[in-house]
């Protein structure tokens, strides 16, 4: 792996680890979800320390996926924003694909 790519991958992994830690710190709910998220974060740090950047990035993305899925299913709640704000943000992401003409009648 070339040095620029390795540096970028390390930076992205570290960025997402910080974000996952911040989001997880306010989470409550299903302990199995929270346990899996913590395990993936721990794995990511382990791989990062060993220089296995691909596995480190992969693990932090899995942690983030578990966070998103847990919130989406209502199994966990994040303290980062009230649940209705998270839902509003998700809806706004898909606003481009929403057919406004269907509600104009």
């Amino acid at each position: 792996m070339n040095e620029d790519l390795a540096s970028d991958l390390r930076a992205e992994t570290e960025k997402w680890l910080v974000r996952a830690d911040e989001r997880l710190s306010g989470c409550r709910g299903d302990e199995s979800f929270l346990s899996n998220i913590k395990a993936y974060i721990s794995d990511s740090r382990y791989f990062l320390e060993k220089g296995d950047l691909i596995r480190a990035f992969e693990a932090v993305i899995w942690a983030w996926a578990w966070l998103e899925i847990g919130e989406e299913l209502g199994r966990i709640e994040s303290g980062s924003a009230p649940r209705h704000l998270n839902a509003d943000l998700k809806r706004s992401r898909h606003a481009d694909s929403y057919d406004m003409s269907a509600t104009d009648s």
Side-chain angles (χ1 to χ4, degrees):
M1 180 179 308
N2 77 39
E3 288 183 40
D4 288 339
L5 181 58
S7 177
D8 289 348
L9 192 52
R10 179 176 292 279
E12 281 296 307
T13 302
E14 290 170 349
K15 175 181 80 174
W16 284 102
L17 275 170
V18 168
R19 289 180 178 182
D21 279 335
E22 288 172 352
R23 187 113 166 232
L24 182 62
S25 70
C27 283
R28 61 186 182 281
D30 187 318
E31 284 302 317
S32 65
F33 267 80
L34 296 173
S35 177
N36 277 309
I37 295 163
K38 291 173 188 174
Y40 278 117
I41 289 172
S42 176
D43 288 350
S44 180
R45 285 200 176 89
Y46 172 81
F47 290 129
L48 200 56
E49 287 174 13
K50 299 296 180 190
D52 190 341
L53 301 178
I54 292 171
R55 284 190 177 100
F57 185 72
E58 187 177 71
V60 76
I61 294 306
W62 272 105
W64 193 261
W66 274 85
L67 276 164
E68 293 274 326
I69 293 165
E71 288 177 346
E72 181 96 7
L73 296 176
R75 304 284 295 270
I76 60 174
E77 278 193 43
S78 172
S80 63
R83 189 165 176 82
H84 70 279
L85 291 180
N86 285 335
D88 290 344
L89 288 172
K90 286 180 183 178
R91 276 194 297 275
S92 70
R93 288 183 203 153
H94 302 292
D96 297 352
S97 63
Y98 185 72
D99 182 7
M100 294 299 286
S101 63
T103 60
D104 290 340
S105 50

